[in-house]
Amino acid sequence: KYEEAMQQYQKALEIQLKALGPEHSSTAGTYHEIGNVLYYQGKYEKAMQQYQKALEIEMKVYGRGHASTLTTCYEIGNVLCNLGKYKEATQQYQTVLEIESKLYGPEHPSTADTRHEIGNALCKQGVYEAAMQQYQKALEIKLK
């Protein structure tokens, strides 16, 4: 039902742009959700465009250290991985991890998830020892 979801999000976006403007947090959220629909359809380039729109608004509205901004940054890392841009994805996830660690603490479950994704991206680059370190740390956090 991706097409149906996309139609609903497009309608919502149209209304939000008129009623709330292009730099409202709700507008950013809808761009993010459109990005999700595209991502799950395997339309990674188009998803990236939507995530970038969401991120631009979130940076203005919330700043770098907000949960919504981090989620969008994380999704951008996922897109980069799916596009085979593993080095860029690793850098993106590292940025997310740095902020998450400050925001939630280094032992938070979100940091474990991000470390796992860093491990995946490193593994795809053939950097197996560093990947294993990330997986190990993620597991330690999850087991606490």
Side-chain angles (χ1 to χ4, degrees):
K1 298 203 176 198
Y2 292 124
E3 292 308 316
E4 185 180 325
M6 185 61 78
Q7 289 173 2
Q8 294 301 317
Y9 284 129
Q10 290 291 354
K11 285 180 188 176
L13 181 62
E14 211 175 291
I15 293 166
Q16 288 168 334
L17 287 170
K18 287 179 185 174
L20 305 172
E23 294 187 355
H24 192 276
S25 60
S26 293
T27 307
T30 302
Y31 280 127
H32 187 108
E33 292 303 329
I34 291 170
N36 287 344
V37 172
L38 293 165
Y39 178 85
Y40 291 122
Q41 291 179 299
K43 298 176 182 178
Y44 302 121
E45 294 286 352
K46 289 182 178 183
M48 178 67 88
Q49 293 170 358
Q50 298 301 308
Y51 290 140
Q52 291 286 4
K53 288 179 183 179
L55 182 61
E56 186 178 327
I57 297 165
E58 290 165 349
M59 289 295 285
K60 289 178 184 175
V61 173
Y62 301 126
R64 190 176 158 169
H66 188 274
S68 293
T69 309
L70 285 174
T71 301
T72 302
C73 288
Y74 186 90
E75 299 294 356
I76 289 171
N78 291 343
V79 169
L80 290 167
C81 271
N82 280 285
L83 291 172
K85 298 179 179 182
Y86 303 116
K87 190 172 185 172
E88 289 176 54
T90 301
Q91 293 168 343
Q92 185 73 16
Y93 290 135
Q94 289 283 10
T95 300
V96 171
L97 179 63
E98 178 186 316
I99 298 167
E100 281 177 338
S101 295
K102 290 177 185 172
L103 193 61
Y104 307 128
E107 304 297 314
H108 190 273
S110 292
T111 65
D113 294 339
T114 303
R115 285 186 180 280
H116 185 89
E117 293 303 332
I118 292 169
N120 289 345
L122 289 168
C123 200
K124 294 286 189 177
Q125 295 172 73
V127 187
Y128 301 116
E129 191 172 319
M132 185 59 107
Q133 290 172 355
Q134 292 298 325
Y135 290 141
Q136 185 63 41
K137 184 64 179 167
L139 181 61
E140 288 171 10
I141 294 167
K142 290 284 188 178
L143 291 175
K144 288 185 177 182

